[in-house]
Amino acid sequence: MGFTLVSIEDSEEFNINFFEWRPLLLLGEAYGWKPAGTLLENDESWDGSYLSNDGQKITQEDCEKLFQAIEVAYEDIPDEQITDFFKHFGYDDDGYEDYYDALRNKDHNTLMMHFSGNKTFLSDFMAFLKKGEACIH
């Protein structure tokens, strides 16, 4: 499943898949971002989820706070890719489950491993967040 974030300011798109989007939100949370929840126009029962593509809006303030958290995290992310995933999590399906459990628990080392060597992606995402409000499609 993929997501297209669309800037309200200029309709610029930022495409991301679920396997990057969820960890990115978790990285922000691990570095102090407190998700305000998204807004969905004309839906009072909306739960504030960031994990669907229903056109929900991320507010200006929420984008700013997520940007600040990712900016701090960026300094900790290793420039070179850490390639010892299998050493830590194993080669079987349980290893992947352990990996995603560690991400969900915002394990610092796992987040560093996940984003290591991918600072360009983080820079691009931060540039997108600086535009402000965005919708998730």
Side-chain angles (χ1 to χ4, degrees):
M1 180 170 153
F3 300 91
T4 300
L5 306 180
V6 180
S7 168
I8 303 288
E9 177 182 298
D10 62 7
S11 299
E12 180 182 333
E13 295 183 357
F14 187 88
N15 294 301
I16 188 167
N17 67 47
F18 182 80
F19 298 106
E20 291 299 327
W21 179 232
R22 180 70 174 130
L24 192 54
L25 297 173
L26 292 168
L27 180 68
E29 287 183 52
Y31 278 82
W33 174 58
K34 305 272 190 269
T38 59
L39 305 172
L40 187 58
E41 199 170 304
N42 300 322
D43 189 344
E44 292 179 23
S45 65
W46 181 250
D47 66 1
S49 177
Y50 296 81
L51 301 178
S52 68
N53 42 13
D54 294 301
Q56 67 270 39
K57 182 167 68 172
I58 307 171
T59 67
Q60 171 79 29
E61 183 179 356
D62 208 22
C63 285
E64 288 171 7
K65 290 182 178 184
L66 180 55
F67 170 85
Q68 292 166 355
I70 299 295
E71 184 177 42
V72 172
Y74 183 87
E75 298 304 317
D76 287 346
I77 304 287
D79 292 333
E80 300 298 320
Q81 185 172 8
I82 299 171
T83 58
D84 52 0
F85 169 86
F86 295 110
K87 176 181 172 187
H88 291 286
F89 295 103
Y91 288 92
D92 57 15
D93 288 342
D94 289 341
Y96 287 102
E97 288 179 31
D98 292 344
Y99 177 69
Y100 286 108
D101 284 344
L103 283 174
R104 279 189 290 280
N105 291 323
K106 300 175 201 107
D107 175 71
H108 181 78
N109 291 332
T110 306
L111 287 166
M112 294 301 104
M113 185 186 317
H114 186 86
F115 290 103
S116 66
N118 205 4
K119 290 180 97 167
T120 300
F121 166 75
L122 291 174
S123 294
D124 293 346
F125 182 65
M126 288 188 297
F128 180 82
L129 286 174
K130 285 187 100 168
K131 293 176 175 289
E133 290 183 323
C135 290
I136 305 171
H137 295 277

